[in-house]
Amino acid sequence: MKIYTLLLAIIIQLPLISNAQQKEYPLTAEQALKQEKIKTQFDYVLKKSGNYQDYKVIKKGWFQKLKKNTIDSLQTLESKLQATNQQITSQQTTISKLETNLSQTNENLVNVTQEKDNLNFLGMAMTKKSYKTLMWSIISGLLLLLIFFIFKFKNSNAITVQAKKSLAETEIEFEEHRRRALEREQKVMRKLQDEINKQRKASTKK
């Protein structure tokens, strides 16, 4: 009597268990094994499989389908991983090229800055500051030389004017001296002539 009661209770509970399982997994086995997530498929197969002691009895078809889906998912993940690795490699190559270009650009910028700040004067490389200092030194030196030559010129000109004045005075004195000498010479000549005339007259009287 108890066995019949137990069987009757099981028969009554079967629809309830079936409804509960349908609520938990509303999909069929074919639909569940088409899900994108492998975890959902494993959960479905694990729940729907029969029990035998400590083991789960899985339908061969479900197992084959789950295996295929798992392998496909792994292959898809592997392909995505390879694509990602290739993309990473490509990005690393691009980054390396960009770093090289950036380094070259920085080097060129440093060279341009140095060329901008430096000048080549008489085959010597010097900064603009040094070049300005040198140019102002040259200009200052030339100005000092110009002032020196102007001073020397004025001094020489003054000496020349004084020399010309002294020469003119000397020429005047010389002309005066020559004139006086000529007058003295003429006086002497006249006296000499007078003496000669006297001597002639004296000789004639005798």
Side-chain angles (χ1 to χ4, degrees), residues 65-106:
K65 182 66 176 176
L66 186 58
K67 177 183 176 182
K68 181 179 181 303
N69 292 343
T70 303
I71 292 173
D72 291 342
S73 297
L74 290 175
Q75 289 178 345
T76 301
L77 289 174
E78 187 176 355
S79 299
K80 289 182 179 180
L81 182 61
Q82 288 179 353
T84 302
N85 289 335
Q86 290 177 356
Q87 186 176 4
I88 291 173
T89 302
S90 177
Q91 289 176 349
Q92 288 176 344
T93 303
T94 303
I95 291 172
S96 178
K97 290 180 180 179
L98 290 175
E99 288 177 346
T100 302
N101 292 336
L102 180 60
S103 177
Q104 185 66 35
T105 302
N106 289 333

mmCIF file of all heavy atoms in Angstrom, residues 65-106:
data_model
loop_
_atom_site.group_PDB
_atom_site.id
_atom_site.type_symbol
_atom_site.label_atom_id
_atom_site.label_comp_id
_atom_site.label_asym_id
_atom_site.label_seq_id
_atom_site.Cartn_x
_atom_site.Cartn_y
_atom_site.Cartn_z
ATOM 1 N N LYS A 65 27.661 17.585 -29.940
ATOM 2 C CA LYS A 65 27.332 18.962 -30.290
ATOM 3 C C LYS A 65 28.071 19.948 -29.378
ATOM 4 O O LYS A 65 28.611 20.964 -29.831
ATOM 5 C CB LYS A 65 25.813 19.153 -30.171
ATOM 6 C CG LYS A 65 25.321 20.542 -30.555
ATOM 7 C CD LYS A 65 25.548 20.821 -32.032
ATOM 8 C CE LYS A 65 24.975 22.164 -32.461
ATOM 9 N NZ LYS A 65 25.251 22.494 -33.856
ATOM 10 N N LEU A 66 28.087 19.618 -28.077
ATOM 11 C CA LEU A 66 28.774 20.485 -27.124
ATOM 12 C C LEU A 66 30.273 20.531 -27.401
ATOM 13 O O LEU A 66 30.911 21.589 -27.314
ATOM 14 C CB LEU A 66 28.519 19.977 -25.701
ATOM 15 C CG LEU A 66 29.042 20.848 -24.554
ATOM 16 C CD1 LEU A 66 28.448 22.243 -24.616
ATOM 17 C CD2 LEU A 66 28.715 20.204 -23.211
ATOM 18 N N LYS A 67 30.833 19.344 -27.767
ATOM 19 C CA LYS A 67 32.244 19.288 -28.111
ATOM 20 C C LYS A 67 32.539 20.160 -29.318
ATOM 21 O O LYS A 67 33.510 20.930 -29.342
ATOM 22 C CB LYS A 67 32.641 17.833 -28.382
ATOM 23 C CG LYS A 67 34.079 17.660 -28.830
ATOM 24 C CD LYS A 67 34.381 16.201 -29.152
ATOM 25 C CE LYS A 67 35.789 16.056 -29.699
ATOM 26 N NZ LYS A 67 36.097 14.659 -30.059
ATOM 27 N N LYS A 68 31.692 20.018 -30.358
ATOM 28 C CA LYS A 68 31.885 20.805 -31.583
ATOM 29 C C LYS A 68 31.777 22.304 -31.281
ATOM 30 O O LYS A 68 32.592 23.103 -31.756
ATOM 31 C CB LYS A 68 30.845 20.404 -32.625
ATOM 32 C CG LYS A 68 30.970 21.160 -33.955
ATOM 33 C CD LYS A 68 29.915 20.685 -34.937
ATOM 34 C CE LYS A 68 30.044 21.417 -36.266
ATOM 35 N NZ LYS A 68 29.944 22.875 -36.117
ATOM 36 N N ASN A 69 30.748 22.666 -30.506
ATOM 37 C CA ASN A 69 30.574 24.074 -30.163
ATOM 38 C C ASN A 69 31.771 24.615 -29.380
ATOM 39 O O ASN A 69 32.222 25.748 -29.589
ATOM 40 C CB ASN A 69 29.297 24.280 -29.360
ATOM 41 C CG ASN A 69 28.052 24.024 -30.203
ATOM 42 O OD1 ASN A 69 28.119 23.994 -31.438
ATOM 43 N ND2 ASN A 69 26.910 23.843 -29.549
ATOM 44 N N THR A 70 32.273 23.792 -28.447
ATOM 45 C CA THR A 70 33.430 24.204 -27.645
ATOM 46 C C THR A 70 34.655 24.405 -28.523
ATOM 47 O O THR A 70 35.387 25.399 -28.394
ATOM 48 C CB THR A 70 33.720 23.160 -26.559
ATOM 49 O OG1 THR A 70 32.550 22.980 -25.741
ATOM 50 C CG2 THR A 70 34.882 23.617 -25.674
ATOM 51 N N ILE A 71 34.913 23.443 -29.428
ATOM 52 C CA ILE A 71 36.070 23.546 -30.338
ATOM 53 C C ILE A 71 35.924 24.772 -31.240
ATOM 54 O O ILE A 71 36.881 25.529 -31.462
ATOM 55 C CB ILE A 71 36.212 22.256 -31.170
ATOM 56 C CG1 ILE A 71 36.610 21.087 -30.262
ATOM 57 C CG2 ILE A 71 37.247 22.444 -32.281
ATOM 58 C CD1 ILE A 71 36.617 19.737 -30.948
ATOM 59 N N ASP A 72 34.686 24.976 -31.754
ATOM 60 C CA ASP A 72 34.449 26.150 -32.610
ATOM 61 C C ASP A 72 34.707 27.444 -31.839
ATOM 62 O O ASP A 72 35.318 28.389 -32.365
ATOM 63 C CB ASP A 72 33.023 26.144 -33.148
ATOM 64 C CG ASP A 72 32.782 25.017 -34.164
ATOM 65 O OD1 ASP A 72 33.799 24.485 -34.677
ATOM 66 O OD2 ASP A 72 31.613 24.681 -34.423
ATOM 67 N N SER A 73 34.237 27.464 -30.597
ATOM 68 C CA SER A 73 34.445 28.660 -29.776
ATOM 69 C C SER A 73 35.923 28.891 -29.507
ATOM 70 O O SER A 73 36.419 30.031 -29.582
ATOM 71 C CB SER A 73 33.691 28.532 -28.451
ATOM 72 O OG SER A 73 32.292 28.458 -28.679
ATOM 73 N N LEU A 74 36.635 27.788 -29.202
ATOM 74 C CA LEU A 74 38.074 27.916 -28.962
ATOM 75 C C LEU A 74 38.806 28.384 -30.208
ATOM 76 O O LEU A 74 39.720 29.224 -30.145
ATOM 77 C CB LEU A 74 38.643 26.575 -28.481
ATOM 78 C CG LEU A 74 38.222 26.143 -27.071
ATOM 79 C CD1 LEU A 74 38.763 24.742 -26.770
ATOM 80 C CD2 LEU A 74 38.735 27.143 -26.030
ATOM 81 N N GLN A 75 38.401 27.828 -31.391
ATOM 82 C CA GLN A 75 39.028 28.245 -32.643
ATOM 83 C C GLN A 75 38.726 29.718 -32.930
ATOM 84 O O GLN A 75 39.603 30.462 -33.402
ATOM 85 C CB GLN A 75 38.537 27.362 -33.794
ATOM 86 C CG GLN A 75 39.076 25.937 -33.751
ATOM 87 C CD GLN A 75 38.525 25.068 -34.873
ATOM 88 O OE1 GLN A 75 37.537 25.434 -35.520
ATOM 89 N NE2 GLN A 75 39.136 23.901 -35.065
ATOM 90 N N THR A 76 37.477 30.117 -32.637
ATOM 91 C CA THR A 76 37.123 31.525 -32.840
ATOM 92 C C THR A 76 37.943 32.429 -31.933
ATOM 93 O O THR A 76 38.469 33.474 -32.361
ATOM 94 C CB THR A 76 35.619 31.737 -32.559
ATOM 95 O OG1 THR A 76 34.854 30.911 -33.435
ATOM 96 C CG2 THR A 76 35.240 33.194 -32.761
ATOM 97 N N LEU A 77 38.059 31.983 -30.645
ATOM 98 C CA LEU A 77 38.866 32.757 -29.712
ATOM 99 C C LEU A 77 40.329 32.793 -30.131
ATOM 100 O O LEU A 77 41.007 33.824 -30.015
ATOM 101 C CB LEU A 77 38.745 32.169 -28.307
ATOM 102 C CG LEU A 77 37.395 32.357 -27.604
ATOM 103 C CD1 LEU A 77 37.380 31.594 -26.285
ATOM 104 C CD2 LEU A 77 37.110 33.839 -27.363
ATOM 105 N N GLU A 78 40.824 31.642 -30.644
ATOM 106 C CA GLU A 78 42.210 31.583 -31.104
ATOM 107 C C GLU A 78 42.430 32.517 -32.289
ATOM 108 O O GLU A 78 43.442 33.218 -32.366
ATOM 109 C CB GLU A 78 42.566 30.141 -31.482
ATOM 110 C CG GLU A 78 44.047 29.967 -31.809
ATOM 111 C CD GLU A 78 44.404 28.518 -32.095
ATOM 112 O OE1 GLU A 78 43.513 27.654 -31.941
ATOM 113 O OE2 GLU A 78 45.551 28.263 -32.463
ATOM 114 N N SER A 79 41.452 32.501 -33.231
ATOM 115 C CA SER A 79 41.549 33.401 -34.385
ATOM 116 C C SER A 79 41.537 34.860 -33.930
ATOM 117 O O SER A 79 42.324 35.689 -34.419
ATOM 118 C CB SER A 79 40.400 33.144 -35.361
ATOM 119 O OG SER A 79 40.436 31.822 -35.852
ATOM 120 N N LYS A 80 40.607 35.161 -32.999
ATOM 121 C CA LYS A 80 40.555 36.533 -32.482
ATOM 122 C C LYS A 80 41.852 36.902 -31.773
ATOM 123 O O LYS A 80 42.345 38.027 -31.897
ATOM 124 C CB LYS A 80 39.378 36.680 -31.520
ATOM 125 C CG LYS A 80 38.019 36.659 -32.207
ATOM 126 C CD LYS A 80 36.903 36.852 -31.187
ATOM 127 C CE LYS A 80 35.530 36.857 -31.862
ATOM 128 N NZ LYS A 80 34.425 37.043 -30.892
ATOM 129 N N LEU A 81 42.406 35.906 -31.023
ATOM 130 C CA LEU A 81 43.651 36.156 -30.317
ATOM 131 C C LEU A 81 44.795 36.408 -31.304
ATOM 132 O O LEU A 81 45.617 37.315 -31.108
ATOM 133 C CB LEU A 81 43.977 34.964 -29.416
ATOM 134 C CG LEU A 81 45.250 35.089 -28.572
ATOM 135 C CD1 LEU A 81 45.154 36.277 -27.629
ATOM 136 C CD2 LEU A 81 45.498 33.796 -27.778
ATOM 137 N N GLN A 82 44.836 35.593 -32.387
ATOM 138 C CA GLN A 82 45.871 35.793 -33.399
ATOM 139 C C GLN A 82 45.721 37.157 -34.069
ATOM 140 O O GLN A 82 46.706 37.877 -34.292
ATOM 141 C CB GLN A 82 45.802 34.676 -34.442
ATOM 142 C CG GLN A 82 46.279 33.324 -33.929
ATOM 143 C CD GLN A 82 46.169 32.233 -34.988
ATOM 144 O OE1 GLN A 82 45.616 32.470 -36.073
ATOM 145 N NE2 GLN A 82 46.673 31.047 -34.673
ATOM 146 N N ALA A 83 44.449 37.501 -34.384
ATOM 147 C CA ALA A 83 44.192 38.810 -35.002
ATOM 148 C C ALA A 83 44.605 39.941 -34.061
ATOM 149 O O ALA A 83 45.204 40.936 -34.478
ATOM 150 C CB ALA A 83 42.720 38.933 -35.380
ATOM 151 N N THR A 84 44.284 39.738 -32.772
ATOM 152 C CA THR A 84 44.657 40.752 -31.775
ATOM 153 C C THR A 84 46.166 40.871 -31.660
ATOM 154 O O THR A 84 46.723 41.978 -31.583
ATOM 155 C CB THR A 84 44.048 40.399 -30.409
ATOM 156 O OG1 THR A 84 42.618 40.310 -30.525
ATOM 157 C CG2 THR A 84 44.394 41.463 -29.376
ATOM 158 N N ASN A 85 46.853 39.677 -31.650
ATOM 159 C CA ASN A 85 48.318 39.687 -31.581
ATOM 160 C C ASN A 85 48.922 40.376 -32.798
ATOM 161 O O ASN A 85 49.888 41.133 -32.679
ATOM 162 C CB ASN A 85 48.857 38.263 -31.451
ATOM 163 C CG ASN A 85 48.574 37.661 -30.084
ATOM 164 O OD1 ASN A 85 48.416 38.387 -29.103
ATOM 165 N ND2 ASN A 85 48.495 36.342 -30.016
ATOM 166 N N GLN A 86 48.360 40.077 -33.990
ATOM 167 C CA GLN A 86 48.832 40.730 -35.212
ATOM 168 C C GLN A 86 48.616 42.243 -35.143
ATOM 169 O O GLN A 86 49.475 43.031 -35.549
ATOM 170 C CB GLN A 86 48.122 40.138 -36.431
ATOM 171 C CG GLN A 86 48.534 38.713 -36.756
ATOM 172 C CD GLN A 86 47.757 38.135 -37.924
ATOM 173 O OE1 GLN A 86 46.853 38.779 -38.456
ATOM 174 N NE2 GLN A 86 48.105 36.928 -38.326
ATOM 175 N N GLN A 87 47.432 42.611 -34.621
ATOM 176 C CA GLN A 87 47.138 44.032 -34.490
ATOM 177 C C GLN A 87 48.102 44.691 -33.498
ATOM 178 O O GLN A 87 48.587 45.799 -33.745
ATOM 179 C CB GLN A 87 45.691 44.224 -34.023
ATOM 180 C CG GLN A 87 45.244 45.686 -33.995
ATOM 181 C CD GLN A 87 43.782 45.806 -33.621
ATOM 182 O OE1 GLN A 87 43.124 44.819 -33.308
ATOM 183 N NE2 GLN A 87 43.272 47.025 -33.640
ATOM 184 N N ILE A 88 48.367 43.962 -32.393
ATOM 185 C CA ILE A 88 49.317 44.494 -31.404
ATOM 186 C C ILE A 88 50.704 44.640 -32.016
ATOM 187 O O ILE A 88 51.387 45.654 -31.823
ATOM 188 C CB ILE A 88 49.359 43.580 -30.167
ATOM 189 C CG1 ILE A 88 48.033 43.672 -29.397
ATOM 190 C CG2 ILE A 88 50.529 43.953 -29.252
ATOM 191 C CD1 ILE A 88 47.909 42.678 -28.256
ATOM 192 N N THR A 89 51.118 43.593 -32.787
ATOM 193 C CA THR A 89 52.423 43.647 -33.453
ATOM 194 C C THR A 89 52.486 44.825 -34.419
ATOM 195 O O THR A 89 53.477 45.562 -34.482
ATOM 196 C CB THR A 89 52.700 42.339 -34.205
ATOM 197 O OG1 THR A 89 52.650 41.239 -33.281
ATOM 198 C CG2 THR A 89 54.068 42.365 -34.867
ATOM 199 N N SER A 90 51.396 44.971 -35.208
ATOM 200 C CA SER A 90 51.337 46.092 -36.155
ATOM 201 C C SER A 90 51.383 47.428 -35.431
ATOM 202 O O SER A 90 52.085 48.356 -35.843
ATOM 203 C CB SER A 90 50.058 45.992 -36.990
ATOM 204 O OG SER A 90 49.933 47.093 -37.863
ATOM 205 N N GLN A 91 50.648 47.524 -34.308
ATOM 206 C CA GLN A 91 50.647 48.768 -33.537
ATOM 207 C C GLN A 91 52.018 49.029 -32.923
ATOM 208 O O GLN A 91 52.472 50.178 -32.881
ATOM 209 C CB GLN A 91 49.576 48.699 -32.450
ATOM 210 C CG GLN A 91 48.144 48.767 -32.990
ATOM 211 C CD GLN A 91 47.102 48.599 -31.893
ATOM 212 O OE1 GLN A 91 47.439 48.237 -30.765
ATOM 213 N NE2 GLN A 91 45.847 48.858 -32.224
ATOM 214 N N GLN A 92 52.679 47.945 -32.458
ATOM 215 C CA GLN A 92 54.021 48.116 -31.902
ATOM 216 C C GLN A 92 54.998 48.598 -32.973
ATOM 217 O O GLN A 92 55.856 49.444 -32.710
ATOM 218 C CB GLN A 92 54.513 46.800 -31.287
ATOM 219 C CG GLN A 92 53.815 46.438 -29.981
ATOM 220 C CD GLN A 92 54.265 45.088 -29.450
ATOM 221 O OE1 GLN A 92 54.851 44.293 -30.167
ATOM 222 N NE2 GLN A 92 53.971 44.834 -28.169
ATOM 223 N N THR A 93 54.855 48.016 -34.195
ATOM 224 C CA THR A 93 55.705 48.469 -35.307
ATOM 225 C C THR A 93 55.441 49.927 -35.614
ATOM 226 O O THR A 93 56.379 50.723 -35.819
ATOM 227 C CB THR A 93 55.436 47.616 -36.562
ATOM 228 O OG1 THR A 93 55.668 46.242 -36.252
ATOM 229 C CG2 THR A 93 56.347 48.036 -37.704
ATOM 230 N N THR A 94 54.145 50.289 -35.640
ATOM 231 C CA THR A 94 53.780 51.691 -35.901
ATOM 232 C C THR A 94 54.320 52.606 -34.811
ATOM 233 O O THR A 94 54.864 53.684 -35.091
ATOM 234 C CB THR A 94 52.249 51.837 -35.988
ATOM 235 O OG1 THR A 94 51.752 50.968 -37.015
ATOM 236 C CG2 THR A 94 51.857 53.269 -36.317
ATOM 237 N N ILE A 95 54.193 52.154 -33.546
ATOM 238 C CA ILE A 95 54.696 52.949 -32.419
ATOM 239 C C ILE A 95 56.208 53.113 -32.513
ATOM 240 O O ILE A 95 56.747 54.197 -32.276
ATOM 241 C CB ILE A 95 54.293 52.293 -31.087
ATOM 242 C CG1 ILE A 95 52.778 52.406 -30.872
ATOM 243 C CG2 ILE A 95 55.049 52.930 -29.918
ATOM 244 C CD1 ILE A 95 52.259 51.623 -29.689
ATOM 245 N N SER A 96 56.892 52.007 -32.902
ATOM 246 C CA SER A 96 58.345 52.063 -33.043
ATOM 247 C C SER A 96 58.738 53.061 -34.133
ATOM 248 O O SER A 96 59.671 53.857 -33.958
ATOM 249 C CB SER A 96 58.886 50.670 -33.378
ATOM 250 O OG SER A 96 60.284 50.706 -33.553
ATOM 251 N N LYS A 97 58.006 53.014 -35.263
ATOM 252 C CA LYS A 97 58.287 53.967 -36.348
ATOM 253 C C LYS A 97 58.013 55.395 -35.893
ATOM 254 O O LYS A 97 58.791 56.309 -36.197
ATOM 255 C CB LYS A 97 57.439 53.632 -37.571
ATOM 256 C CG LYS A 97 57.857 52.350 -38.284
ATOM 257 C CD LYS A 97 56.973 52.084 -39.500
ATOM 258 C CE LYS A 97 57.393 50.809 -40.213
ATOM 259 N NZ LYS A 97 56.517 50.521 -41.381
ATOM 260 N N LEU A 98 56.901 55.562 -35.164
ATOM 261 C CA LEU A 98 56.567 56.900 -34.664
ATOM 262 C C LEU A 98 57.621 57.403 -33.683
ATOM 263 O O LEU A 98 57.983 58.590 -33.697
ATOM 264 C CB LEU A 98 55.189 56.878 -33.992
ATOM 265 C CG LEU A 98 53.982 56.699 -34.930
ATOM 266 C CD1 LEU A 98 52.700 56.562 -34.123
ATOM 267 C CD2 LEU A 98 53.860 57.877 -35.901
ATOM 268 N N GLU A 99 58.109 56.487 -32.819
ATOM 269 C CA GLU A 99 59.153 56.885 -31.871
ATOM 270 C C GLU A 99 60.431 57.270 -32.621
ATOM 271 O O GLU A 99 61.106 58.242 -32.261
ATOM 272 C CB GLU A 99 59.435 55.748 -30.897
ATOM 273 C CG GLU A 99 58.316 55.526 -29.880
ATOM 274 C CD GLU A 99 58.590 54.339 -28.971
ATOM 275 O OE1 GLU A 99 59.501 53.559 -29.304
ATOM 276 O OE2 GLU A 99 57.879 54.196 -27.949
ATOM 277 N N THR A 100 60.766 56.479 -33.680
ATOM 278 C CA THR A 100 61.945 56.804 -34.489
ATOM 279 C C THR A 100 61.766 58.157 -35.165
ATOM 280 O O THR A 100 62.682 58.995 -35.170
ATOM 281 C CB THR A 100 62.176 55.713 -35.553
ATOM 282 O OG1 THR A 100 62.340 54.451 -34.903
ATOM 283 C CG2 THR A 100 63.422 56.023 -36.375
ATOM 284 N N ASN A 101 60.573 58.361 -35.744
ATOM 285 C CA ASN A 101 60.294 59.646 -36.403
ATOM 286 C C ASN A 101 60.335 60.792 -35.400
ATOM 287 O O ASN A 101 60.846 61.881 -35.702
ATOM 288 C CB ASN A 101 58.927 59.605 -37.099
ATOM 289 C CG ASN A 101 58.908 58.656 -38.286
ATOM 290 O OD1 ASN A 101 59.947 58.374 -38.875
ATOM 291 N ND2 ASN A 101 57.745 58.157 -38.638
ATOM 292 N N LEU A 102 59.781 60.529 -34.197
ATOM 293 C CA LEU A 102 59.788 61.561 -33.160
ATOM 294 C C LEU A 102 61.215 61.890 -32.730
ATOM 295 O O LEU A 102 61.568 63.068 -32.555
ATOM 296 C CB LEU A 102 58.970 61.089 -31.955
ATOM 297 C CG LEU A 102 58.877 62.057 -30.773
ATOM 298 C CD1 LEU A 102 58.235 63.361 -31.200
ATOM 299 C CD2 LEU A 102 58.104 61.430 -29.621
ATOM 300 N N SER A 103 62.030 60.840 -32.591
ATOM 301 C CA SER A 103 63.428 61.055 -32.228
ATOM 302 C C SER A 103 64.149 61.852 -33.300
ATOM 303 O O SER A 103 64.905 62.786 -33.004
ATOM 304 C CB SER A 103 64.117 59.702 -32.002
ATOM 305 O OG SER A 103 65.484 59.882 -31.718
ATOM 306 N N GLN A 104 63.902 61.486 -34.581
ATOM 307 C CA GLN A 104 64.524 62.204 -35.696
ATOM 308 C C GLN A 104 64.035 63.646 -35.738
ATOM 309 O O GLN A 104 64.822 64.582 -35.984
ATOM 310 C CB GLN A 104 64.191 61.494 -37.020
ATOM 311 C CG GLN A 104 64.890 62.087 -38.234
ATOM 312 C CD GLN A 104 66.394 61.914 -38.179
ATOM 313 O OE1 GLN A 104 66.884 60.905 -37.692
ATOM 314 N NE2 GLN A 104 67.120 62.898 -38.653
ATOM 315 N N THR A 105 62.727 63.815 -35.484
ATOM 316 C CA THR A 105 62.156 65.171 -35.479
ATOM 317 C C THR A 105 62.774 66.014 -34.365
ATOM 318 O O THR A 105 63.113 67.184 -34.574
ATOM 319 C CB THR A 105 60.626 65.106 -35.300
ATOM 320 O OG1 THR A 105 60.063 64.323 -36.369
ATOM 321 C CG2 THR A 105 60.008 66.504 -35.330
ATOM 322 N N ASN A 106 62.914 65.406 -33.176
ATOM 323 C CA ASN A 106 63.538 66.126 -32.058
ATOM 324 C C ASN A 106 64.982 66.486 -32.380
ATOM 325 O O ASN A 106 65.446 67.594 -32.063
ATOM 326 C CB ASN A 106 63.484 65.279 -30.786
ATOM 327 C CG ASN A 106 62.081 65.158 -30.225
ATOM 328 O OD1 ASN A 106 61.246 66.045 -30.431
ATOM 329 N ND2 ASN A 106 61.800 64.087 -29.516
#
